[in-house]
Amino acid sequence: MNSTERPRLSVRSPADLVAAVPYLLGFHPADSVVVVAVRGRRVVFAARGDLPDPGTDPGPVARHLAQVVVRQDADAATVIGYGPAARVTGAVDAVGGALDDAGLVVLDALRVTDGRWWSYLCGEPACCPADGTPYDPAASQVSAAAVFAGQVALPDRAALAAQVSPLDGPVRLAMRRATARARRRLAALTGEPSGGGPSGGALSGGGPAGEATGGRRGEARAVRSAGTAAVRAAFRRQRRGERLDDDEVAWLTVLLTQVAVRDHAWSRTDGRDADISLWTDVFRRAEPDLTAAPGTLLSFAAWRAGHGALAAVALERVLAAHPEYPLAVLLDDALRRGLPPSELDGWPANAGGSVLRRRRRRPPR
């Protein structure tokens, strides 16, 4: 499921809303049920879920989507199903019923497929013919306004996932060599053998393994100092429009395995375009065992910026490789519950006071 902050688009009809949804999500949905939530006259949230498999009870998906929308303090919503009627109708009905049970007004219930839309709530042939109403997104004023505002609608969700996929070929070979150098550099700093993977330590306040041991406090301080310097240098370079070289990326990813360094990077990460660009680049270039921290930081930056779909696909890649990484599990829970990014304001400094709690990750739906 994905959520985003909305661009300011003028929506006056079902056709306008159908044209706007891909820009609200960041991609053109297929085999999906989407809920567009409204507060007053403004779209405040969009949530997407996969259509249930044929013969599967749509109730659980419907109730979950309704709960997520209710958390946005919305007062009304429109439900849109993408796909053939045999799969869409039951899901749209179930979501509409769940929204109604939750006290929200269902403004409309639509089905979209093959360049046409149908309304389940309108029976007037003049405006909602039985064979559907054709629409052309390319000719829509809503689409034109979204593009003018810099909004992007990728062809599908797979295209979005490709934007955070690992880089291969010569880039991977160069990064493998650079990471080996970075591991040796860290080993020299700590006096430990080179190697290691993502840290599974405390979400905040906990330091690198062994930090509490008196004889190693100096090494831990040295690592934190090196990590702080690497993070600050990376942000400075990115905001000047400069790309990190292989050794800088490798050194940063190795240091980010230390929780104190990761938390410092987290505290400096917001929803700025430069933050998203930085962590996307580092995530894609990082060696497989070092992707947890940069991928989660990318997800956090995207979430803060309102790019919920990007946040979700980044987390999916992280959790596929590192299913127990605590910060990724935390963000996954927040996204699934539809919590606003403000719930993590002040993290990681005041983590103990957050309303969020670490949970076991739900199995994939």
Side-chain angles (χ1 to χ4, degrees):
M1 182 190 61
N2 313 305
S3 65
T4 65
E5 293 177 5
R6 306 300 127 219
R8 292 183 179 275
L9 303 176
S10 180
V11 175
R12 297 185 176 89
S13 68
D16 286 346
L17 185 59
V18 169
V21 164
Y23 297 95
L24 302 180
L25 296 177
F27 61 93
H28 290 267
D31 297 325
S32 303
V33 59
V34 174
V35 181
V36 180
V38 177
R39 186 187 309 129
R41 299 180 63 184
R42 184 176 180 182
V43 171
V44 295
F45 190 81
R48 187 205 69 89
D50 293 336
L51 286 177
D53 293 331
T56 302
D57 178 15
V61 171
R63 289 188 292 272
H64 176 68
L65 284 171
Q67 291 167 5
V68 167
V69 172
V70 166
R71 291 192 185 100
Q72 314 312 311
D73 195 27
D75 48 44
T78 293
V79 187
I80 309 176
Y82 292 81
R87 293 194 62 196
V88 166
T89 301
V92 168
D93 287 346
V95 173
L99 291 170
D100 186 63
D101 291 343
L104 275 75
V105 175
V106 178
L107 300 174
D108 208 341
L110 307 174
R111 181 173 72 86
V112 178
T113 189
D114 296 331
R116 291 177 177 269
W117 62 267
W118 290 258
S119 173
Y120 288 99
L121 302 186
C122 176
E124 296 294 331
C127 63
C128 301
D131 58 352
T133 301
Y135 74 99
D136 181 3
S140 168
Q141 292 184 350
V142 171
S143 299
V147 172
F148 183 78
Q151 300 297 316
V152 175
L154 295 172
D156 51 33
R157 197 169 186 271
L160 185 66
Q163 293 190 338
V164 298
S165 63
L167 297 175
D168 295 319
V171 173
R172 179 55 47 218
L173 179 60
M175 283 305 305
R176 190 171 300 133
R177 292 169 176 169
T179 303
R181 292 192 294 269
R183 293 188 198 276
R184 291 193 294 269
R185 183 179 174 186
L186 182 62
L189 193 62
T190 62
E192 293 184 344
S194 60
S199 171
L203 283 173
S204 182
E211 182 179 343
T213 303
R216 298 183 57 198
R217 288 176 181 168
E219 289 90 342
R221 284 193 295 270
V223 171
R224 286 200 302 273
S225 178
T228 297
V231 168
R232 290 178 177 173
F235 277 108
R236 284 196 301 269
R237 291 282 304 276
Q238 187 67 36
R239 288 167 189 170
R240 291 198 299 262
E242 301 170 357
R243 191 172 187 239
L244 303 185
D245 65 31
D246 294 339
D247 284 306
E248 288 171 318
V249 170
W251 183 229
L252 182 60
T253 59
V254 167
L255 289 167
L256 284 170
T257 63
Q258 309 300 309
V259 173
V261 177
R262 192 278 317 277
D263 280 359
H264 177 69
W266 183 12
S267 71
R268 295 176 65 89
T269 296
D270 205 334
R272 295 171 289 256
D273 289 345
D275 295 3
I276 295 173
S277 296
L278 170 65
W279 295 123
T280 298
D281 185 42
V282 175
F283 185 34
R284 300 191 72 188
R285 292 162 69 188
E287 283 293 274
D289 63 318
L290 301 176
T291 57
T296 307
L297 292 169
L298 166 59
S299 179
F300 180 71
W303 186 42
R304 294 288 294 184
H307 303 310
L310 177 60
V313 295
L315 272 185
E316 286 174 6
R317 187 182 155 208
V318 170
L319 290 169
H322 311 289
E324 301 300 324
Y325 190 66
L327 181 56
V329 173
L330 174 77
L331 290 182
D332 182 57
D333 183 60
L335 284 170
R336 288 173 180 270
R337 292 162 62 194
L339 296 179
S342 59
E343 292 289 351
L344 286 185
D345 282 350
W347 278 64
N350 64 349
S354 173
V355 299
L356 296 177
R357 297 291 182 267
R358 279 185 290 174
R359 299 185 175 188
R360 292 185 63 84
R361 186 182 177 221
R362 297 182 180 92
R365 290 193 296 273

